[in-house]
Amino acid sequence: MGFLRHIEACNRFDPDQFLPFYIGGVQVGSIPRAESTVLGDYPGTFRLAEQFVSLSESLGTAASRTAAIGAAGEDLVRRGVLPGRRGELFAITAGWGGDVLVEIDRGVVPFFGTRSYGVHLNGFRGGSDRQELWIGKRAADKKTAPGKLDNLVAGGIASGYGAHATLLKEAAEEASMPADIAATARPAGAVFYRMGLPHGSRNDVLFIYDIDVPADFVPRNSDGEIEDFRVLAVDDCLRRVAETDDFKFNVNLVLIDLALRHGYIAPDHPDYLPLVAGLRRGG
Amino acid sequence: MGFLRHIEACNRFDPDQFLPFYIGGVQVGSIPRAESTVLGDYPGTFRLAEQFVSLSESLGTAASRTAAIGAAGEDLVRRGVLPGRRGELFAITAGWGGDVLVEIDRGVVPFFGTRSYGVHLNGFRGGSDRQELWIGKRAADKKTAPGKLDNLVAGGIASGYGAHATLLKEAAEEASMPADIAATARPAGAVFYRMGLPHGSRNDVLFIYDIDVPADFVPRNSDGEIEDFRVLAVDDCLRRVAETDDFKFNVNLVLIDLALRHGYIAPDHPDYLPLVAGLRRGG
């Protein structure tokens, strides 16, 4: 119980279980050590050393790297080694805003453990004085966290999109939010976490936005990803974060961040500083 | 120029120049290696080893430690080794909210490099839609950062006070803020930094509060620490943070944090993530 357990769960990562993954001398990811040997089947694409994996140095351009990893990834999916591709490319860079080194399908990103970026929008219901939030319930057929509660809008940043552009796109698709309302969202920081998974890891940055939506705005999902939306008091959300696993694992971090920024958690909380710092671990 | 330089300046700390300082097996500070030998003159109080300094194990209570360090500190000030004491005790704990291990005079805290805690209040001028801030100018005779710009209210947390109690006390003393207004301040997080000084270091946590003060409230200093207060647009404050050293060194961090939380700096800023993470370095 409590807030800190979510930060701990999202930062459970044992470096000894992974090999660093390099492109052009820059570490861009972490590959599960036990499953890395399969990459030896693609000697033109990967170089396997004892303590690291790197992309073949002969692949000198983003386009050639993307094609090579794409082909290897497709083959690994066909062989049942990797889960299905998602048909959405994520850009791998040496850092947020940096040059694109390669684009990787979202479905195989966890295997390579490259850093992913997403946006999350806290939707305060208008007139509630920031005491109530619009909360989505994820569809039962979502691959990740089906049926869990979620922010009003959230989504991964695909290659070629910035944070703000992703927010506007997802606000329209996920919540049917008119562009003039979505334009009033304001950035409010970011949270970081890195967590080991059964066949890979997540190394995520979530860009946080807040919005006060008009009282007469009612979100309506148009892409099938959200089953319904409901209004919950912030206090109720935080009680659920502390006492339940109702929310998707990383949405707990977004709500803890909201609680810290908006004074719902105060310095007299015994975990105040571990919470503040824990949201940026690995940053 | 830019925001990141302030975070770098506040985190310039070379561990090789310091010896860890232990109390009862817990590291509570860092003592400048070159100046640590002077503690050998107080063998009943300190134990000097090659790679650390510890408080004598015979000092088993907070009261006995406080008395022993107080006497040594007084002697070191008399000998001109340490700067003057301030007559204000800071509590040294194993962590925020933890048991008090010893109380140390504020003036000698930097020598021991123990963690200090402070509060900083961002005062948004009422009716400005959070576009304007009340900013103090520090008195010319302040020991630290004379003449520099400061938050509406700021102060160190003395032993026996919590963050909120310190905020209320300082709001009255520094800005003559009525208690009913001060009570509307809301906590908004914390920033961390650790910086080497000529004869010690600062290992600081600043608890951040925001307040929207009524439009007709005009702060008035009553303790001589602030020369005057003026209203500055947030944009002007941030321009000064980026381009000048008008603000006290650590107030730059508080304003960068404000800019991140309130959307004045957006994810398309090239240093966005280093800024978000940099404010919690050492947390």
Side-chain angles (χ1 to χ4, degrees), chain B residues 23-28 91-102 115 117:
Chain B
I23 297 179
V26 177
Q27 187 185 346
V28 297
I92 312 308
T93 62
W96 173 243
D99 291 338
V100 178
L101 301 174
V102 60
R115 176 161 272 187
Y117 301 90

Side-chain angles (χ1 to χ4, degrees), chain A residues 130-146:
Chain A
R130 297 190 175 161
Q131 303 289 309
E132 292 175 341
L133 288 168
W134 275 107
I135 295 294
K137 185 178 183 190
R138 297 166 65 84
D141 61 358
K142 290 280 281 185
K143 270 191 186 160
T144 306

Side-chain angles (χ1 to χ4, degrees), chain A residues 13 29 32 37 39-40 56 69 73 84 95 103 116 131 166 169 172-173 176 201-202 211 218 227 235 247 268 274:
Chain A
F13 179 83
T37 48
L39 297 178
S56 170
I69 289 198
E103 295 173 299
S116 294
Q131 303 289 309
T166 301
K169 180 170 81 74
E173 290 175 8
S176 307
S201 61
R202 296 180 71 123
I211 192 170
V218 176
E227 186 176 298
D235 283 335
F247 281 96
D268 58 357

Side-chain angles (χ1 to χ4, degrees), chain B residues 10-13 18 30 86 90 106 109-116 120 138 144-145 156 192-197 200-206 248-250:
Chain B
C10 287
N11 286 283
R12 213 162 276 148
F13 179 83
F18 293 84
S30 302
R86 302 271 291 264
F90 275 17
R106 182 177 188 167
V109 160
F111 179 76
F112 293 104
T114 50
R115 176 161 272 187
S116 293
H120 280 247
R138 296 166 65 85
T144 306
F192 305 72
Y193 62 92
R194 182 155 78 155
M195 66 193 297
L197 301 172
S201 60
R202 296 180 70 122
N203 183 357
D204 286 0
V205 174
L206 309 181
K248 185 187 168 202
F249 63 99
N250 58 5

